[in-house]
Amino acid sequence: MFENYNSIGIGTQDWKMDRLNHLIKELHIDVVAGCETNVDWRQTPDGMLDLLVPRMGKKGCTAHNTTGDILHKAQRGGVVMAAVGRMCDAVSPTDGIGRDPTGLGRFCWIQVGTGESKTYLVSAYIPHKPPRSAKGETNWEQQQCFYHARGEFRNPDEILIEDLLAQFKIWREAGSEVILALDANQDVYDGILATKLSECPYNMCCLLQQATGAKVPNSHFRGRRPITTIFGSNGLTVGDGMVYPHWYGVGDHRVFVVEVSAASLFGGKFPTIGSPKARTLNCKIARCRKNYNNVLKSLCDRHKMHEKLLRLKVLDESVSAADYQLMHNKWDNELGDFMASAEEQCSKFKSCQIEYSPTVGLWLKRRSILKWILRWHDGKVPDSRNLERAARRNGIESPLTSPREDIEARLVACIGHLMELRKIAPELRTKHLRQCLITAIENGDEEAIQEITRF
């Protein structure tokens, strides 16, 4: 997934990170790329990877201009590229992460796979020439000052294109695949970069056009040209793709999502034992351990895994060693699938959008039910009995007799109330936990006490 964020909003627009994290989970994204983060990460308490989908594994990097004196946190430009979840295991453990060597933060990359099957995933931002009224703070002007001080008087976009092509040539001649996600600020079909990438040895084209069967539209909501896309080399196998409408993401550009087969990226084989970053199971929490064991036991009992293993043990000598190994590997792979399924079912990640308390939970339920009622108005709820019961329990009157406009107005009011509660949500959360702790102490529930006080 790639997007020009037009500032990730650290310290000013917290909803942007919330929205980005929601999209990553909603769309099941494995690799996140973006540009124009507009942050000097040296001046923030948390890095981009710390804020990205909390409590999920990430492996990647950010890049921003570190060559000059920064007067504020809003450093222009900047890029990010990160693998999320199990994809972390595919990132090369030795030389799998890299940045722009000039320190200008023009591009960064991660390498997935090793040996003969490996791919470099690059996120880049090519700045555009600012108007004469600019005050010297644009990304173009910062790079121009850097190059002028070193006796280089070409335009920054020309230099960046030359540097990218030089790096891609090394990777392509070594037999590696390359994916480039960028805001080029030039036509991605007729521009200088697109024309060069289509030639040998790069042999790269627009993956979105392959996936959707149509050229990508304008990226910026006021623009007319397609200036943003995801390029890929000819050895990659592309599946589905999507170019979302404006304002779907966090900035004023479109969100671009493309599906690429794991086999063409890195051979398709994950390590047998996943690293902690790539797993969703948190063994430090007793509740998660208990849920994981219960779900895994249920799956094994339902699919008779113990009986299958016993049948393998009593096979006679008529089965060759090679056939026995294949049968045992099949059983082992099936058990591995059940373990991965149990991890997904037993773990729930906080959205981190608002601290939970019973008061907040009530309004979250009301918001969910109001959306449910709108789906009923659209004819997508064939049986309304559960809906009516849930509305009655949460104090929502006349759920099915009220007109749609009334329900939409209630939903807007509910969301507005949640935004107000967000300011005092930490205080409500602390009060709720204190009450839970008092109750646990009175009941002598040591496990509950440990869970409440573990943070």
mmCIF file of all heavy atoms in Angstrom, residues 188-207:
data_model
loop_
_atom_site.group_PDB
_atom_site.id
_atom_site.type_symbol
_atom_site.label_atom_id
_atom_site.label_comp_id
_atom_site.label_asym_id
_atom_site.label_seq_id
_atom_site.Cartn_x
_atom_site.Cartn_y
_atom_site.Cartn_z
ATOM 1 N N VAL A 188 3.527 9.374 -15.006
ATOM 2 C CA VAL A 188 4.102 8.048 -14.766
ATOM 3 C C VAL A 188 4.029 7.155 -16.008
ATOM 4 O O VAL A 188 4.392 5.980 -15.933
ATOM 5 C CB VAL A 188 3.397 7.354 -13.582
ATOM 6 C CG1 VAL A 188 3.638 8.103 -12.291
ATOM 7 C CG2 VAL A 188 1.903 7.196 -13.846
ATOM 8 N N TYR A 189 3.573 7.713 -17.113
ATOM 9 C CA TYR A 189 3.575 6.972 -18.381
ATOM 10 C C TYR A 189 4.485 7.627 -19.422
ATOM 11 O O TYR A 189 5.187 6.932 -20.150
ATOM 12 C CB TYR A 189 2.151 6.862 -18.931
ATOM 13 C CG TYR A 189 1.259 6.001 -18.078
ATOM 14 C CD1 TYR A 189 0.296 6.574 -17.248
ATOM 15 C CD2 TYR A 189 1.389 4.621 -18.072
ATOM 16 C CE1 TYR A 189 -0.518 5.787 -16.451
ATOM 17 C CE2 TYR A 189 0.590 3.824 -17.286
ATOM 18 C CZ TYR A 189 -0.365 4.415 -16.469
ATOM 19 O OH TYR A 189 -1.164 3.621 -15.679
ATOM 20 N N ASP A 190 4.469 8.957 -19.490
ATOM 21 C CA ASP A 190 5.259 9.666 -20.498
ATOM 22 C C ASP A 190 6.424 10.445 -19.906
ATOM 23 O O ASP A 190 7.195 11.070 -20.656
ATOM 24 C CB ASP A 190 4.357 10.646 -21.270
ATOM 25 C CG ASP A 190 3.182 9.934 -21.929
ATOM 26 O OD1 ASP A 190 3.366 8.777 -22.344
ATOM 27 O OD2 ASP A 190 2.093 10.530 -22.004
ATOM 28 N N GLY A 191 6.587 10.440 -18.599
ATOM 29 C CA GLY A 191 7.654 11.199 -17.965
ATOM 30 C C GLY A 191 9.026 10.595 -18.206
ATOM 31 O O GLY A 191 9.176 9.484 -18.718
ATOM 32 N N ILE A 192 10.056 11.345 -17.806
ATOM 33 C CA ILE A 192 11.438 10.908 -18.013
ATOM 34 C C ILE A 192 11.713 9.599 -17.280
ATOM 35 O O ILE A 192 12.292 8.664 -17.843
ATOM 36 C CB ILE A 192 12.411 12.006 -17.533
ATOM 37 C CG1 ILE A 192 12.215 13.283 -18.353
ATOM 38 C CG2 ILE A 192 13.846 11.524 -17.635
ATOM 39 C CD1 ILE A 192 13.017 14.459 -17.841
ATOM 40 N N LEU A 193 11.295 9.517 -16.007
ATOM 41 C CA LEU A 193 11.566 8.311 -15.227
ATOM 42 C C LEU A 193 10.847 7.102 -15.814
ATOM 43 O O LEU A 193 11.442 6.019 -15.946
ATOM 44 C CB LEU A 193 11.126 8.530 -13.776
ATOM 45 C CG LEU A 193 11.307 7.335 -12.846
ATOM 46 C CD1 LEU A 193 12.773 6.949 -12.739
ATOM 47 C CD2 LEU A 193 10.736 7.619 -11.463
ATOM 48 N N ALA A 194 9.557 7.256 -16.153
ATOM 49 C CA ALA A 194 8.793 6.132 -16.690
ATOM 50 C C ALA A 194 9.403 5.627 -17.990
ATOM 51 O O ALA A 194 9.470 4.402 -18.232
ATOM 52 C CB ALA A 194 7.341 6.544 -16.908
ATOM 53 N N THR A 195 9.867 6.542 -18.837
ATOM 54 C CA THR A 195 10.473 6.145 -20.101
ATOM 55 C C THR A 195 11.756 5.363 -19.877
ATOM 56 O O THR A 195 12.002 4.333 -20.528
ATOM 57 C CB THR A 195 10.761 7.397 -20.962
ATOM 58 O OG1 THR A 195 9.540 8.136 -21.144
ATOM 59 C CG2 THR A 195 11.326 7.008 -22.308
ATOM 60 N N LYS A 196 12.582 5.820 -18.935
ATOM 61 C CA LYS A 196 13.836 5.126 -18.640
ATOM 62 C C LYS A 196 13.586 3.752 -18.028
ATOM 63 O O LYS A 196 14.262 2.772 -18.356
ATOM 64 C CB LYS A 196 14.680 5.968 -17.681
ATOM 65 C CG LYS A 196 15.221 7.259 -18.287
ATOM 66 C CD LYS A 196 16.348 6.982 -19.257
ATOM 67 C CE LYS A 196 16.987 8.272 -19.737
ATOM 68 N NZ LYS A 196 18.081 8.030 -20.718
ATOM 69 N N LEU A 197 12.591 3.660 -17.121
ATOM 70 C CA LEU A 197 12.326 2.384 -16.452
ATOM 71 C C LEU A 197 11.834 1.319 -17.410
ATOM 72 O O LEU A 197 12.012 0.114 -17.164
ATOM 73 C CB LEU A 197 11.300 2.593 -15.333
ATOM 74 C CG LEU A 197 11.768 3.347 -14.096
ATOM 75 C CD1 LEU A 197 10.614 3.531 -13.122
ATOM 76 C CD2 LEU A 197 12.925 2.637 -13.414
ATOM 77 N N SER A 198 11.205 1.709 -18.497
ATOM 78 C CA SER A 198 10.691 0.727 -19.450
ATOM 79 C C SER A 198 11.793 0.106 -20.294
ATOM 80 O O SER A 198 11.570 -0.897 -20.978
ATOM 81 C CB SER A 198 9.652 1.385 -20.360
ATOM 82 O OG SER A 198 10.246 2.403 -21.148
ATOM 83 N N GLU A 199 12.989 0.689 -20.271
ATOM 84 C CA GLU A 199 14.094 0.205 -21.087
ATOM 85 C C GLU A 199 14.896 -0.857 -20.356
ATOM 86 O O GLU A 199 14.738 -1.084 -19.160
ATOM 87 C CB GLU A 199 14.991 1.388 -21.468
ATOM 88 C CG GLU A 199 14.281 2.481 -22.262
ATOM 89 C CD GLU A 199 15.137 3.716 -22.458
ATOM 90 O OE1 GLU A 199 16.253 3.754 -21.885
ATOM 91 O OE2 GLU A 199 14.699 4.644 -23.162
ATOM 92 N N CYS A 200 15.756 -1.527 -21.097
ATOM 93 C CA CYS A 200 16.672 -2.519 -20.529
ATOM 94 C C CYS A 200 17.801 -1.782 -19.808
ATOM 95 O O CYS A 200 18.244 -0.722 -20.277
ATOM 96 C CB CYS A 200 17.211 -3.395 -21.661
ATOM 97 S SG CYS A 200 18.166 -4.814 -21.108
ATOM 98 N N PRO A 201 18.283 -2.228 -18.653
ATOM 99 C CA PRO A 201 18.016 -3.514 -17.996
ATOM 100 C C PRO A 201 16.894 -3.471 -16.957
ATOM 101 O O PRO A 201 16.678 -4.439 -16.246
ATOM 102 C CB PRO A 201 19.348 -3.797 -17.310
ATOM 103 C CG PRO A 201 19.827 -2.435 -16.881
ATOM 104 C CD PRO A 201 19.380 -1.499 -17.976
ATOM 105 N N TYR A 202 16.183 -2.336 -16.854
ATOM 106 C CA TYR A 202 15.198 -2.196 -15.777
ATOM 107 C C TYR A 202 13.936 -3.015 -16.072
ATOM 108 O O TYR A 202 13.468 -3.769 -15.218
ATOM 109 C CB TYR A 202 14.845 -0.715 -15.587
ATOM 110 C CG TYR A 202 16.054 0.185 -15.575
ATOM 111 C CD1 TYR A 202 16.334 1.020 -16.653
ATOM 112 C CD2 TYR A 202 16.940 0.180 -14.507
ATOM 113 C CE1 TYR A 202 17.445 1.839 -16.662
ATOM 114 C CE2 TYR A 202 18.054 0.996 -14.503
ATOM 115 C CZ TYR A 202 18.298 1.821 -15.591
ATOM 116 O OH TYR A 202 19.416 2.622 -15.597
ATOM 117 N N ASN A 203 13.389 -2.834 -17.262
ATOM 118 C CA ASN A 203 12.189 -3.579 -17.685
ATOM 119 C C ASN A 203 11.081 -3.488 -16.629
ATOM 120 O O ASN A 203 10.531 -4.494 -16.192
ATOM 121 C CB ASN A 203 12.529 -5.042 -17.964
ATOM 122 C CG ASN A 203 13.533 -5.194 -19.098
ATOM 123 O OD1 ASN A 203 13.443 -4.484 -20.094
ATOM 124 N ND2 ASN A 203 14.495 -6.077 -18.939
ATOM 125 N N MET A 204 10.768 -2.247 -16.245
ATOM 126 C CA MET A 204 9.757 -2.017 -15.221
ATOM 127 C C MET A 204 8.562 -1.282 -15.818
ATOM 128 O O MET A 204 8.714 -0.445 -16.712
ATOM 129 C CB MET A 204 10.353 -1.206 -14.058
ATOM 130 C CG MET A 204 11.461 -1.931 -13.313
ATOM 131 S SD MET A 204 12.293 -0.885 -12.096
ATOM 132 C CE MET A 204 10.976 -0.599 -10.912
ATOM 133 N N CYS A 205 7.377 -1.603 -15.307
ATOM 134 C CA CYS A 205 6.157 -0.965 -15.791
ATOM 135 C C CYS A 205 5.215 -0.740 -14.610
ATOM 136 O O CYS A 205 5.507 -1.137 -13.478
ATOM 137 C CB CYS A 205 5.474 -1.820 -16.860
ATOM 138 S SG CYS A 205 4.908 -3.421 -16.256
ATOM 139 N N CYS A 206 4.078 -0.125 -14.874
ATOM 140 C CA CYS A 206 3.100 0.187 -13.831
ATOM 141 C C CYS A 206 2.358 -1.083 -13.423
ATOM 142 O O CYS A 206 1.620 -1.669 -14.229
ATOM 143 C CB CYS A 206 2.123 1.241 -14.344
ATOM 144 S SG CYS A 206 0.796 1.615 -13.184
ATOM 145 N N LEU A 207 2.533 -1.521 -12.169
ATOM 146 C CA LEU A 207 1.867 -2.734 -11.689
ATOM 147 C C LEU A 207 0.370 -2.524 -11.537
ATOM 148 O O LEU A 207 -0.408 -3.471 -11.698
ATOM 149 C CB LEU A 207 2.476 -3.166 -10.353
ATOM 150 C CG LEU A 207 3.951 -3.576 -10.359
ATOM 151 C CD1 LEU A 207 4.365 -4.051 -8.969
ATOM 152 C CD2 LEU A 207 4.224 -4.653 -11.390
#
